[in-house]
Amino acid sequence: MTKPAPITLKQCKNPWVFLASGFCSGCSPYAPGTMGSLVAIPIIYVYAFFNLPAYLWFTLVVNVVGVLICAKATKELKVHDHGGIVWDEIGGMLITFLFVPITAVNLIIGFALFRLFDILKPGFSYGRNFTNRNHFVPTKSPYGPLEKTVLFFLF
C-alpha cells in the first residue's frame, strides 16, 4: 500500500479538511502529526487561563466533535487513515494536560511524551483507531492518561 500524498492547500478549502488537518498543519509533508501536536500548544496555553470546568468542557467538545470532523474529512479525502488528519493530536494533547500545571517545562515534556507514545504506539494503548460508518476516525485519547501519569510522577 502506498502512502497517500500530503493534504494540499486546495483540499484545505473544504472546512472539514481544514479542521481535521489541524488548520492545515497536517499539510506538512514531514511529520504532520508533530505539526498537529505543535498547533495544540498555544490552544492549551490559552485555555490554561480558564477555570478547570471550562477546560474540561472544551476538551470534551474538541474530542467528541472531532469524531464528526475526522469522519467528514476522511470521506472528502477518500483515504482511510490519512496521516494529514491531525485533529486527534490536538484532542489528545488537551487530554494530556488535564490537571497538569501549564509551565514551559511541562509543555515541552508533555509534547515529547505525547509524540513518543504516538510514534511507539505501545500495545496497551491499542484502542486508538475505530470506524464510524465506514469512515476512519482517529483518536489519541488513550494516550492522554499515559502521558498524564508520567508527568504526574515527574512533577
Coordinates of all heavy atoms in Angstrom, one line a residue, residues 71-135:
A71 N -14.4 12.1 10.4 CA -15.2 11.3 9.5 C -15.6 12.0 8.2 O -15.4 11.5 7.1 CB -16.5 10.8 10.2
K72 N -16.0 13.3 8.4 CA -16.3 14.1 7.2 C -15.0 14.3 6.3 O -15.1 14.2 5.1 CB -16.9 15.4 7.6 CG -18.2 15.3 8.3 CD -19.3 15.1 7.3 CE -20.7 15.3 8.0 NZ -21.8 15.1 7.1
A73 N -13.9 14.6 6.9 CA -12.7 14.8 6.2 C -12.2 13.6 5.5 O -11.7 13.6 4.4 CB -11.6 15.4 7.1
T74 N -12.3 12.4 6.2 CA -11.9 11.1 5.6 C -12.8 10.9 4.4 O -12.2 10.4 3.4 CB -12.1 10.0 6.7 OG1 -11.2 10.3 7.7 CG2 -11.8 8.7 6.1
K75 N -14.0 11.1 4.5 CA -14.9 10.9 3.3 C -14.5 11.8 2.2 O -14.5 11.4 1.0 CB -16.4 11.2 3.7 CG -17.4 10.9 2.7 CD -18.8 11.0 3.2 CE -19.8 10.6 2.1 NZ -21.2 10.8 2.6
E76 N -14.2 13.1 2.5 CA -13.8 14.1 1.5 C -12.5 13.7 0.8 O -12.3 13.8 -0.4 CB -13.7 15.5 2.1 CG -13.2 16.5 1.2 CD -14.3 16.9 0.1 OE1 -15.5 16.7 0.3 OE2 -13.8 17.3 -1.0
L77 N -11.5 13.2 1.6 CA -10.2 12.9 1.1 C -10.2 11.5 0.4 O -9.2 11.3 -0.4 CB -9.2 12.9 2.2 CG -8.9 14.3 2.9 CD1 -8.0 14.1 4.1 CD2 -8.2 15.2 1.9
K78 N -11.2 10.7 0.7 CA -11.3 9.4 0.1 C -10.0 8.5 0.4 O -9.6 7.7 -0.4 CB -11.5 9.4 -1.4 CG -12.8 10.1 -1.7 CD -13.0 10.3 -3.2 CE -14.2 10.9 -3.6 NZ -14.3 12.3 -3.4
V79 N -9.4 8.7 1.6 CA -8.3 8.0 2.0 C -8.5 7.5 3.5 O -8.8 8.4 4.4 CB -7.0 8.8 2.0 CG1 -5.8 8.0 2.5 CG2 -6.7 9.3 0.6
H80 N -8.4 6.2 3.7 CA -8.6 5.7 5.0 C -7.4 6.0 5.9 O -6.3 5.6 5.4 CB -8.9 4.2 4.9 CG -9.1 3.5 6.2 ND1 -10.3 3.6 6.9 CD2 -8.3 2.7 6.9 CE1 -10.2 2.9 8.0 NE2 -9.0 2.3 8.1
D81 N -7.5 6.6 7.0 CA -6.4 6.8 7.9 C -5.3 7.7 7.3 O -4.1 7.4 7.3 CB -5.8 5.5 8.4 CG -4.8 5.7 9.6 OD1 -4.8 6.8 10.2 OD2 -4.1 4.8 9.9
H82 N -5.7 8.8 6.8 CA -4.8 9.8 6.2 C -3.9 10.4 7.3 O -4.4 10.9 8.3 CB -5.5 10.9 5.4 CG -4.6 11.6 4.5 ND1 -3.6 12.5 4.9 CD2 -4.6 11.7 3.1 CE1 -3.0 13.0 3.9 NE2 -3.6 12.5 2.8
G83 N -2.6 10.4 7.1 CA -1.7 10.9 8.1 C -1.8 12.4 8.3 O -1.4 12.9 9.3
G84 N -2.4 13.1 7.3 CA -2.6 14.6 7.5 C -3.8 15.0 8.3 O -3.9 16.1 8.7
I85 N -4.6 14.0 8.7 CA -5.7 14.3 9.7 C -5.1 14.2 11.1 O -4.7 13.2 11.6 CB -6.8 13.2 9.5 CG1 -7.5 13.4 8.1 CG2 -7.9 13.4 10.6 CD1 -8.6 12.4 7.9
V86 N -5.0 15.4 11.6 CA -4.3 15.6 12.9 C -5.1 16.2 14.0 O -4.6 16.6 15.1 CB -3.0 16.4 12.7 CG1 -2.0 15.7 11.8 CG2 -3.3 17.8 12.2
W87 N -6.4 16.2 13.8 CA -7.3 16.7 14.8 C -7.2 15.9 16.1 O -7.3 16.5 17.2 CB -8.8 16.7 14.4 CG -9.7 17.4 15.3 CD1 -10.5 16.7 16.3 CD2 -10.1 18.7 15.4 NE1 -11.2 17.7 17.0 CE2 -11.0 18.9 16.4 CE3 -9.6 19.9 14.7 CZ2 -11.5 20.1 16.8 CZ3 -10.2 21.1 15.0 CH2 -11.1 21.2 16.1
D88 N -6.9 14.6 16.0 CA -6.8 13.8 17.1 C -5.5 14.1 17.9 O -5.5 13.9 19.1 CB -6.7 12.3 16.7 CG -5.7 12.0 15.6 OD1 -5.4 12.9 14.8 OD2 -5.2 10.9 15.5
E89 N -4.5 14.7 17.3 CA -3.3 15.2 18.0 C -3.7 16.3 19.0 O -3.3 16.3 20.1 CB -2.3 15.7 17.1 CG -2.0 14.8 15.9 CD -1.4 13.5 16.2 OE1 -0.7 13.3 17.2 OE2 -1.6 12.6 15.3
I90 N -4.6 17.2 18.5 CA -5.0 18.3 19.3 C -5.8 17.9 20.5 O -5.6 18.2 21.6 CB -5.8 19.4 18.4 CG1 -4.8 19.9 17.3 CG2 -6.4 20.5 19.3 CD1 -5.5 20.7 16.2
G91 N -6.8 17.0 20.2 CA -7.6 16.5 21.3 C -6.8 15.7 22.3 O -7.0 15.8 23.5
G92 N -5.9 14.9 21.8 CA -5.1 14.0 22.7 C -4.2 14.9 23.5 O -3.9 14.6 24.7
M93 N -3.6 16.0 23.0 CA -2.8 16.9 23.7 C -3.6 17.6 24.8 O -3.1 17.7 25.9 CB -2.1 17.9 22.8 CG -1.0 17.3 21.9 SD 0.6 17.2 22.8 CE 1.1 18.9 23.0
L94 N -4.8 17.9 24.5 CA -5.7 18.6 25.5 C -5.9 17.6 26.7 O -5.8 18.0 27.9 CB -7.0 19.0 24.9 CG -6.9 20.2 24.0 CD1 -8.2 20.3 23.2 CD2 -6.8 21.5 24.9
I95 N -6.1 16.3 26.4 CA -6.3 15.3 27.4 C -5.0 15.2 28.2 O -5.0 15.1 29.5 CB -6.7 14.0 26.9 CG1 -8.1 14.1 26.3 CG2 -6.6 12.9 27.9 CD1 -8.6 12.9 25.5
T96 N -3.9 15.2 27.6 CA -2.6 15.0 28.2 C -2.4 16.1 29.3 O -1.8 15.8 30.4 CB -1.4 15.1 27.2 OG1 -1.5 14.0 26.3 CG2 -0.1 15.1 27.9
F97 N -2.8 17.3 29.1 CA -2.6 18.4 30.0 C -3.7 18.7 31.0 O -3.6 19.6 31.7 CB -2.2 19.6 29.2 CG -0.8 19.5 28.7 CD1 -0.6 19.1 27.4 CD2 0.3 19.7 29.5 CE1 0.7 19.0 26.9 CE2 1.6 19.6 29.0 CZ 1.8 19.2 27.7
L98 N -4.7 17.8 31.0 CA -5.7 17.9 32.1 C -5.1 17.8 33.4 O -4.3 16.9 33.7 CB -6.8 16.8 31.9 CG -7.9 17.0 30.9 CD1 -8.7 15.8 30.7 CD2 -8.8 18.2 31.2
F99 N -5.4 18.7 34.3 CA -4.9 18.7 35.7 C -3.4 18.8 35.8 O -2.8 18.5 36.9 CB -5.3 17.4 36.4 CG -6.8 17.1 36.3 CD1 -7.2 16.0 35.5 CD2 -7.7 17.9 36.9 CE1 -8.6 15.7 35.4 CE2 -9.1 17.6 36.7 CZ -9.5 16.5 36.0
V100 N -2.7 19.2 34.8 CA -1.2 19.4 34.8 C -1.0 20.9 34.8 O -1.5 21.6 33.9 CB -0.6 18.7 33.6 CG1 0.9 19.0 33.5 CG2 -0.8 17.2 33.6
P101 N -0.2 21.4 35.7 CA 0.2 22.8 35.7 C 0.8 23.2 34.3 O 1.7 22.5 33.9 CB 1.2 23.0 36.8 CG 1.0 21.8 37.7 CD 0.5 20.7 36.8
I102 N 0.4 24.2 33.7 CA 1.0 24.6 32.4 C 2.2 25.5 32.7 O 2.0 26.7 33.0 CB -0.1 25.4 31.6 CG1 -1.3 24.5 31.4 CG2 0.5 25.7 30.2 CD1 -1.1 23.1 30.8
T103 N 3.3 24.9 32.5 CA 4.6 25.7 32.5 C 5.3 25.3 31.2 O 5.0 24.3 30.5 CB 5.4 25.2 33.7 OG1 5.8 23.9 33.6 CG2 4.7 25.4 35.0
A104 N 6.3 26.1 30.9 CA 7.1 25.8 29.7 C 7.7 24.4 29.8 O 7.7 23.7 28.8 CB 8.2 26.9 29.5
V105 N 8.3 24.0 30.9 CA 8.9 22.7 31.1 C 7.8 21.6 30.9 O 8.1 20.6 30.2 CB 9.6 22.6 32.5 CG1 10.0 21.2 32.7 CG2 10.7 23.6 32.6
N106 N 6.7 21.8 31.5 CA 5.6 20.7 31.4 C 5.1 20.6 29.9 O 4.9 19.6 29.4 CB 4.4 21.0 32.3 CG 4.7 20.7 33.7 OD1 5.8 20.2 34.0 ND2 3.8 21.0 34.6
L107 N 5.0 21.8 29.2 CA 4.6 21.7 27.8 C 5.6 21.0 27.0 O 5.2 20.2 26.1 CB 4.4 23.2 27.3 CG 3.1 23.9 27.7 CD1 3.1 25.3 27.3 CD2 1.9 23.2 27.2
I108 N 6.9 21.2 27.2 CA 7.9 20.6 26.4 C 7.9 19.1 26.7 O 7.9 18.2 25.8 CB 9.3 21.2 26.7 CG1 9.4 22.6 26.1 CG2 10.4 20.3 26.1 CD1 10.5 23.4 26.6
I109 N 7.9 18.7 28.0 CA 7.9 17.3 28.4 C 6.7 16.6 27.9 O 6.7 15.5 27.4 CB 8.2 17.1 29.9 CG1 9.6 17.6 30.2 CG2 8.0 15.7 30.3 CD1 9.9 17.6 31.7
G110 N 5.5 17.2 28.1 CA 4.2 16.6 27.7 C 4.2 16.4 26.2 O 3.7 15.4 25.7
F111 N 4.7 17.4 25.5 CA 4.7 17.3 24.0 C 5.6 16.1 23.6 O 5.2 15.3 22.8 CB 5.2 18.6 23.4 CG 5.5 18.5 21.9 CD1 4.5 18.6 21.0 CD2 6.8 18.4 21.5 CE1 4.8 18.5 19.6 CE2 7.1 18.3 20.1 CZ 6.1 18.4 19.2
A112 N 6.8 16.0 24.2 CA 7.7 15.0 23.9 C 7.2 13.6 24.2 O 7.3 12.7 23.4 CB 9.1 15.2 24.6
L113 N 6.5 13.5 25.3 CA 5.9 12.2 25.7 C 4.8 11.8 24.8 O 4.7 10.7 24.4 CB 5.4 12.3 27.2 CG 6.4 12.3 28.3 CD1 5.7 12.6 29.6 CD2 7.1 10.9 28.3
F114 N 4.0 12.8 24.4 CA 2.8 12.6 23.5 C 3.4 12.0 22.2 O 2.9 11.1 21.6 CB 2.0 13.8 23.3 CG 0.8 13.6 22.5 CD1 -0.4 13.1 23.1 CD2 0.8 13.9 21.1 CE1 -1.5 12.9 22.3 CE2 -0.3 13.6 20.4 CZ -1.5 13.2 21.0
R115 N 4.4 12.7 21.6 CA 4.9 12.3 20.3 C 5.6 10.9 20.5 O 5.4 10.1 19.6 CB 5.9 13.3 19.8 CG 5.3 14.6 19.4 CD 4.1 14.6 18.5 NE 4.4 13.8 17.3 CZ 3.5 13.0 16.7 NH1 2.3 12.9 17.2 NH2 3.8 12.3 15.7
L116 N 6.3 10.7 21.6 CA 7.0 9.4 21.8 C 6.0 8.3 21.8 O 6.1 7.3 21.1 CB 7.8 9.4 23.1 CG 8.5 8.1 23.4 CD1 9.6 7.8 22.5 CD2 9.0 8.1 24.9
F117 N 4.9 8.4 22.6 CA 3.9 7.3 22.7 C 3.1 7.2 21.4 O 2.7 6.1 21.0 CB 3.0 7.6 23.8 CG 3.6 7.4 25.2 CD1 3.5 8.3 26.2 CD2 4.4 6.3 25.4 CE1 4.1 8.2 27.4 CE2 5.0 6.1 26.7 CZ 4.9 7.1 27.6
D118 N 2.9 8.3 20.6 CA 2.3 8.2 19.4 C 3.1 7.4 18.3 O 2.6 6.6 17.5 CB 1.9 9.6 18.8 CG 1.1 9.5 17.5 OD1 0.2 8.6 17.5 OD2 1.3 10.3 16.7
I119 N 4.4 7.7 18.4 CA 5.3 7.0 17.4 C 5.5 5.5 17.8 O 5.4 4.7 16.9 CB 6.7 7.7 17.4 CG1 6.5 9.1 16.7 CG2 7.7 6.9 16.6 CD1 7.6 10.1 16.9
L120 N 5.7 5.3 19.1 CA 5.9 3.9 19.5 C 4.6 3.1 19.5 O 4.7 1.8 19.4 CB 6.5 3.9 20.9 CG 7.9 4.5 21.0 CD1 8.4 4.4 22.5 CD2 8.9 3.7 20.1
K121 N 3.5 3.7 19.8 CA 2.2 3.0 19.8 C 2.3 1.8 20.8 O 2.1 0.7 20.3 CB 1.7 2.6 18.4 CG 1.4 3.9 17.6 CD 0.9 3.5 16.2 CE 0.7 4.7 15.4 NZ 1.2 5.9 15.6
P122 N 2.5 2.0 22.0 CA 2.6 0.9 23.0 C 1.3 0.0 22.9 O 0.2 0.5 22.7 CB 2.6 1.6 24.4 CG 3.0 3.0 24.1 CD 2.5 3.3 22.7
G123 N 1.6 -1.3 23.1 CA 0.5 -2.3 23.0 C -0.7 -2.0 23.9 O -1.8 -2.4 23.5
F124 N -0.5 -1.5 25.0 CA -1.6 -1.3 26.0 C -2.5 -0.1 25.6 O -3.5 0.1 26.2 CB -1.1 -1.1 27.4 CG 0.0 -0.2 27.6 CD1 -0.3 1.2 27.7 CD2 1.3 -0.6 27.6 CE1 0.7 2.1 27.9 CE2 2.3 0.3 27.8 CZ 2.1 1.7 27.9
S125 N -2.1 0.6 24.6 CA -3.0 1.7 24.1 C -3.6 1.4 22.8 O -3.8 2.3 22.0 CB -2.2 3.0 24.1 OG -1.1 2.9 23.2
Y126 N -3.9 0.2 22.6 CA -4.3 -0.3 21.3 C -5.7 0.2 20.8 O -5.9 0.2 19.6 CB -4.4 -1.9 21.3 CG -5.4 -2.4 22.2 CD1 -6.7 -2.6 21.9 CD2 -5.0 -2.7 23.5 CE1 -7.7 -3.1 22.8 CE2 -5.9 -3.2 24.4 CZ -7.2 -3.4 24.1 OH -8.1 -3.9 25.0
G127 N -6.5 0.8 21.6 CA -7.8 1.2 21.2 C -7.9 2.5 20.4 O -8.9 3.1 20.3
R128 N -6.8 2.9 19.8 CA -6.7 4.2 19.2 C -7.5 4.4 17.9 O -8.0 5.5 17.7 CB -5.2 4.4 19.0 CG -4.8 5.0 17.7 CD -3.3 5.2 17.6 NE -2.9 6.3 16.8 CZ -3.1 6.3 15.5 NH1 -3.6 5.3 14.9 NH2 -2.7 7.4 14.8
N129 N -7.8 3.4 17.1 CA -8.5 3.6 15.9 C -9.8 2.9 15.9 O -9.9 1.8 16.4 CB -7.7 3.1 14.7 CG -6.3 3.7 14.6 OD1 -6.1 4.8 15.0 ND2 -5.4 3.0 14.1
F130 N -10.8 3.5 15.4 CA -12.1 2.9 15.3 C -12.8 3.4 14.0 O -12.5 4.4 13.5 CB -13.0 3.0 16.5 CG -13.4 4.4 16.9 CD1 -14.6 4.9 16.5 CD2 -12.5 5.2 17.7 CE1 -14.9 6.2 16.8 CE2 -12.9 6.4 18.0 CZ -14.1 7.0 17.6
T131 N -13.8 2.7 13.6 CA -14.5 3.1 12.4 C -15.9 3.5 12.7 O -16.6 2.9 13.5 CB -14.5 1.8 11.4 OG1 -13.2 1.4 11.2 CG2 -15.2 2.2 10.1
N132 N -16.3 4.6 12.1 CA -17.7 5.1 12.3 C -18.3 5.2 10.9 O -17.9 6.0 10.1 CB -17.6 6.5 12.9 CG -18.9 7.1 13.1 OD1 -20.0 6.5 12.8 ND2 -18.9 8.3 13.5
R133 N -19.3 4.3 10.6 CA -20.0 4.3 9.3 C -19.0 4.2 8.2 O -19.1 5.0 7.2 CB -20.9 5.5 9.2 CG -22.0 5.5 10.2 CD -22.9 6.7 10.0 NE -24.2 6.4 10.5 CZ -25.3 6.8 10.0 NH1 -25.3 7.6 9.0 NH2 -26.4 6.4 10.5
N134 N -18.1 3.3 8.3 CA -17.1 3.0 7.2 C -16.1 4.2 7.0 O -15.4 4.2 6.0 CB -17.8 2.7 5.9 CG -18.7 1.5 6.0 OD1 -18.3 0.5 6.7 ND2 -19.8 1.5 5.4
H135 N -16.0 5.1 7.9 CA -15.1 6.2 7.8 C -14.1 6.1 9.0 O -14.6 6.0 10.1 CB -15.7 7.5 7.8 CG -16.7 7.7 6.7 ND1 -16.3 7.6 5.3 CD2 -18.0 7.9 6.7 CE1 -17.4 7.8 4.6 NE2 -18.5 7.9 5.4

